[in-house]
Structures are given as structure tokens and as C-alpha cells.
Amino acid sequence: MDKPSIKIGILGLGTVGSGVVEVLNKNGSDIEKKVGRKIEIKDILVRDISKKRKTEVPQHLLTTNPDDILENPEIDIVVEVMGTIDLARQYILKAFENKKSVVTANKDLIALHGKELFEAAEKAGRDLLFEASVAGGIPIIRPLKECLSGNRFTRIMGIINGTTNYILTKMSRDKMEFDDALAEAQRLGYAEADPASDIEGLDAARKIAILASIAFNSRVTYEDVYVEGITKINSYDIRYAEELGYAVKLLGIAKEADGELDVRVHPVFIPKSHALAAVSDEFNAIFVEGDAVGEAMFYGKGAGKLPTASAVVGDIISAARNLSFGMPGRVGCTCFYSKKIKPIQEIESKYYLRLLVEDRPGVLASIAGVFGNSNVSIASVIQKRIEKDMAEIVLVTHTVKEANLRDALKIIEGLTIVGNIGNVIRVEGSDT
Ligand code: NAP
Ligand code: HSE
């Protein structure tokens, strides 16, 4: 006799939810062979049952009552692709109370309430899988938790927001202005409903919090991440980066040194020779460094209906297999340490600085004196252009402590010879 099907309930039928339905329908017969049991959609929660939908779904599957899924004893796996924080948290906790495994794409939720959700999953003895929450279609969570789990990681750096990578690519390759590039990213559907979350670095902060927690086995929440977005990057920064041999990228960075974690999101100058510099348009990539594997990079589409559905369906298959073999909850929370987060002032980096200063003798010497007094060593200075009797200078530092650089900049900002500090961008991924 055929084994009974694994029954799933889907919370949400938007971009990702409809992709999940499409992939399960299209590849269902192969998936059945892979799992050994059919995967059957029992119910789908939506807000508006009468809404016209691009993906065809039998009307009887749609419901506006979450309990049709959460309280239905027949349903084995709840797939949360609805978004929101409070409501999704509430529904997922209820799903665990009712002994269901959960698959979610919700980075906002995992980055904030991961600990609580993992505890609930463990108590229920069920899976909490969230591959789609970071970098959409790119497999990175399971590789870190399983394939690469024999490693000690030293560093993770990722282009984990497609919108900002698209904007920076357009600004550098097509000389497009920031606002035009953002509008195009919105039109193409890469940006969040509120694009501030992309351009201010918040979306990337959620994703790097999730990756850092897994890689360093210590819970990092969204609130622990130091964040700067890309709104201050202008066409001069892009041009000077190019001239100096760098690409400008928004990176999520997580490093461990001396038992402390350094977790941040900000724009960087990265050498053009670095693998991440070549990642363009809306593509994402995550570069990891482990003590056994060495350097490895994961590349692909970080968002969109089908790439994200690819990750969600992969998780559904894993959860279904785990249930079939009687081992749900096989890979639970791996945050068994509690590591200190390093304040941003304590990090060390090289910096690119763009300043507008008076164009007369002695100015450079004064500025160099301030940097010297704060222990900030300058690697190079170039005068770039004249703007209304002021000279724009570009400096690149050697590796210095951020606190020292900030002390120096506070003094420099107050000098009468300085018009403004145009931008300060960290230089990452170069050893020279
Ligand atoms: P979306 O297109 O806005 O779809 C949301 C779906 O959830 C809609 O079907 C909506 O119902 C339903 N929904 C929302 N609030 C509800 C409520 N209170 N009660 C019942 N149903 C509700 O969102 P999405 O882009 O698919 O994103 C879903 C999740 O995946 C989010 O957590 C997002 O961060 C994550 N994610 C998305 C992507 C991506 O590329 N889009 C990539 C990675 C991760 P109606 O259809 O009736 O309005
Ligand atoms: N707005 C996000 C991005 C979508 O641009 O990467 C995927 O999380």
C-alpha cells in the first residue's frame, strides 16, 4: 500500500507562496520519488480570498482562517511565506505547539526571534528550516550547518541584498544616478515594499545576523549588527574606487577574533581582483573562510519568486524526509556559545576618505598632523578636483583602529580649512 501523503499548509500566496505552489505542482512527481511520499497542499492562508491570482490554485484550498492550518491535525508541515514579525511569530509558535514542522522564508522574524523559535521547535521535537531567509535561492544555511560543519569559520562576507548590488552596479557600469537605479530596482521587483530597508542596509543586517549565528555558533540578533547603508555613495566615490582598483559593494561581514564577534553591514571598497567584486546586478554571493575548507563562495539569485521557492521547497523536502524517517528536529539550534559582540570602535580596517579642503599650502600638512596625532597612518593622498576654490582630496589609510580614525575625523571636521568630509568608506579584502 502507498504511504500516506505528507500534508502541508502554506501561510501566504504572494510572490514566494505562489512560487512554492508552482514548483510543487511542476516537479511533484520527482519530489514524491525523492521523499518516498507525495507532498500534498491541504490549505493556503491568504488575506483576501477573492483576489485575482496569477498562479492557479483550486479555490477550496484558500482560507482566511489560520486555524484551518495551525489546528488541523492532518497537516504535518507549516510553510510560512507570509511575512510580518508578530503575526508570523504567533502562528509559528502555534504550529510547534501542535507538533508541526515549520519552513519559513522570514528573515525579519528569524533575525529577531530565532532563539525563541528554536526553543519552541526543540520542545516540539520538530524542524525549523529557513534556507530561503538568506540570499533566496542560494544554498548557504544548510551548507554552513551540515556540509561545512566540521570547520571553524573565521570570516563570512556576503553581497546579500540584490537591490543595493543592482544600484551600485548601475552607478558604476552605466554611470546611472542613485535615484534612477533605485527606481529601476523597484520596477524589477528586487526592492522590499519599503526600499529604505534595502538602501539603509537593514535587510542585509537581518541576513548577516542569521549567518553569523550559524557560522560562529553564538546567537547574533539584528540589533547586534552595526549598519550603514549606501545612501551616501555618490558618483565620485564610484569613480575614485575605479581609479584606485576597487569596486564599491554593500557587504554583510562577520568575523571572529579572540572569541569576539565583529558583525556589520556597510559599503566597502573591495579590490577588483576579489571574487566578490565581480558579482554584479541583482546577484548575491557569500564568501566563507573555514579552517578546513579554506575559501569558498556561493553565488546565485538572492530573491524572486522561483529562486526563493527553490529554497523553500528544498526545506519542505528535508522536513518531509525527516518526518518520514522519524527524525524531525534532527538539526536544531547550533548556538551553544555566547560570544561578545565587538563594538564598531574596536574594529581595525583601512579607510578611504574623501574631503573638501582649502586649496592652499600647508593644508595637507595640517590634516596629516591630526591623523598622526591620533595614530592614523596614511597610505596615500591624491588631489582629485577643484570645487569653488576648494580642493577635493582622497586619502587611503593603512590598517588603523576605528576609534582612532573617528577621533581624528572629529578634529578635522572642526578645522576652518576643511569644507566637509564627503565620505568615509572601509576598505575590505585587501592585504596590501
Ligand atoms: P507578498 O508577495 O507580500 O505575499 C504575502 C502573502 O501573505 C500574500 O498572499 C498575503 O495575502 C499573505 N498575507 C500577508 N499578511 C497576511 C495576514 N495577516 N493574514 C493572511 N495572509 C496574509 O510577500 P513575499 O514577497 O512572497 O514574501 C513572503 C516572505 O518571504 C517574507 O517574509 C519575505 O521577507 C520572504 N522573502 C521574500 C523574497 C522575495 O523575493 N519576495 C525572498 C526571500 C525571502 P493576499 O495575497 O491575500 O494579500
Ligand atoms: N529586497 C531584497 C533584496 C529581497 O534586494 O535582496 C530579498 O530578500
Side-chain angles (χ1 to χ4, degrees):
M1 200 181 81
D2 280 352
K3 287 187 185 160
S5 59
I6 296 268
K7 298 182 181 60
I8 68 169
I10 305 179
L11 309 176
L13 186 61
T15 306
V16 181
S18 46
V20 169
V21 171
E22 282 177 28
V23 173
L24 286 174
N25 285 343
K26 182 166 171 272
N27 301 334
S29 63
D30 281 359
I31 291 172
E32 181 175 348
K33 291 186 186 79
K34 287 173 187 170
V35 176
R37 290 165 71 177
K38 186 176 161 58
I39 295 195
E40 183 186 341
I41 301 172
K42 273 304 269 182
D43 280 294
I44 304 173
L45 178 75
V46 292
R47 234 177 334 211
D48 176 3
I49 219 157
S50 60
K51 190 164 159 182
K52 245 194 140 6
R53 299 185 185 271
K54 285 186 202 139
T55 302
E56 261 184 53
V57 174
Q59 192 69 16
H60 73 270
L61 291 184
L62 301 184
T63 176
T64 53
N65 180 2
D67 286 342
D68 286 348
I69 292 171
L70 305 173
E71 297 279 3
N72 182 347
E74 273 196 293
I75 287 179
D76 306 291
I77 302 170
V78 170
V79 180
E80 188 277 304
V81 284
M82 178 182 92
T84 73
I85 295 183
D86 293 337
L87 207 55
R89 169 178 165 268
Q90 197 185 307
Y91 290 173
I92 289 177
L93 291 175
K94 197 165 186 183
F96 285 134
E97 273 168 29
N98 292 323
K99 298 271 184 273
K100 299 175 191 321
S101 284
V102 172
V103 170
T104 176
N106 195 329
K107 61 214 156 196
D108 308 37
L109 180 64
I110 297 286
L112 206 55
H113 296 296
K115 183 172 186 290
E116 181 189 24
L117 297 177
F118 265 114
E119 282 168 0
E122 195 177 338
K123 194 165 161 218
R126 289 294 180 269
D127 283 316
L128 170 62
L129 302 177
F130 48 100
E131 185 64 66
S133 66
V134 178
I138 305 176
I140 183 64
I141 288 170
R142 194 166 294 109
L144 289 178
K145 277 196 150 195
E146 300 203 46
C147 324
L148 297 172
S149 62
N151 285 261
R152 277 197 170 193
F153 295 102
T154 43
R155 187 161 62 137
I156 296 195
M157 299 203 296
I159 295 174
I160 44 182
N161 181 270
T163 303
T164 45
N165 202 42
Y166 185 83
I167 293 171
L168 293 170
T169 303
K170 286 282 167 186
M171 285 175 78
S172 115
R173 198 180 55 201
D174 303 340
K175 312 289 172 249
M176 207 183 243
E177 290 301 324
F178 184 98
D179 289 343
D180 297 334
L182 170 60
E184 203 166 302
Q186 286 178 287
R187 191 178 55 74
L188 290 166
Y190 304 143
E192 299 293 298
D194 174 9
S197 163
D198 297 295
I199 60 178
E200 299 294 354
L202 311 178
D203 176 73
R206 293 179 178 113
K207 294 167 180 167
I208 197 70
I210 296 171
L211 293 181
S213 301
I214 297 168
F216 300 114
N217 306 114
S218 177
R219 177 69 50 202
V220 176
T221 73
Y222 164 64
E223 286 149 343
D224 292 323
V225 183
Y226 173 82
V227 190
E228 281 173 29
I230 62 163
T231 50
K232 280 180 74 185
I233 307 278
N234 71 15
S235 54
Y236 290 110
D237 297 317
I238 301 270
R239 188 200 299 173
Y240 301 154
E242 184 90 2
E243 286 172 22
L244 292 163
Y246 297 103
V248 184
K249 295 287 176 193
L250 181 77
L251 290 193
I253 299 170
K255 297 180 190 177
E256 173 164 13
D258 308 323
E260 288 190 355
L261 301 183
D262 163 13
V263 189
R264 43 195 160 105
V265 168
H266 52 71
V268 300
F269 274 25
I270 190 159
K272 280 189 194 158
S273 54
H274 194 284
L276 285 172
V279 176
S280 56
D281 298 300
E282 76 279 20
F283 279 85
N284 282 200
I286 297 137
F287 175 88
V288 302
E289 220 173 58
D291 61 354
V293 74
E295 295 178 350
M297 195 161 100
F298 299 78
Y299 171 85
K301 288 202 173 146
K305 181 164 98 172
L306 292 176
T308 309
S310 158
V312 173
V313 173
D315 277 352
I316 295 172
I317 292 172
S318 281
R321 281 181 176 143
N322 288 346
L323 285 167
S324 283
F325 287 95
M327 48 183 172
R330 193 175 59 83
V331 186
C333 182
T334 49
C335 290
F336 35 77
Y337 296 124
S338 187
K339 294 176 185 169
K340 191 173 165 262
I341 305 286
K342 195 182 256 201
I344 190 72
Q345 289 81 355
E346 286 178 25
I347 72 151
E348 292 194 343
S349 179
K350 293 172 188 164
Y351 298 82
Y352 149 92
L353 311 161
R354 176 167 55 80
L355 313 180
L356 209 56
V357 299
E358 282 185 12
D359 189 19
R360 62 178 170 80
V363 166
L364 268 184
S366 306
I367 289 171
V370 176
F371 280 127
N373 290 339
S374 296
N375 251 333
V376 174
S377 169
I378 303 296
S380 68
V381 186
I382 319 168
Q383 179 161 328
K384 298 307 298 183
R385 63 191 176 104
I386 303 292
E387 191 182 293
K388 291 187 202 137
D389 298 335
M390 303 288 276
E392 186 170 64
I393 56 168
V394 165
L395 300 97
V396 179
T397 72
H398 286 294
T399 299
V400 301
K401 200 167 172 190
E402 174 123 354
N404 293 352
L405 182 88
R406 289 185 181 213
D407 287 347
L409 289 176
K410 220 177 275 165
I411 298 168
I412 286 172
E413 218 169 12
L415 297 178
T416 52
I417 52 169
V418 174
N420 67 46
I421 299 173
N423 214 345
V424 179
I425 300 175
R426 297 171 188 84
V427 179
E428 197 59 51
S430 86
D431 298 323
T432 52

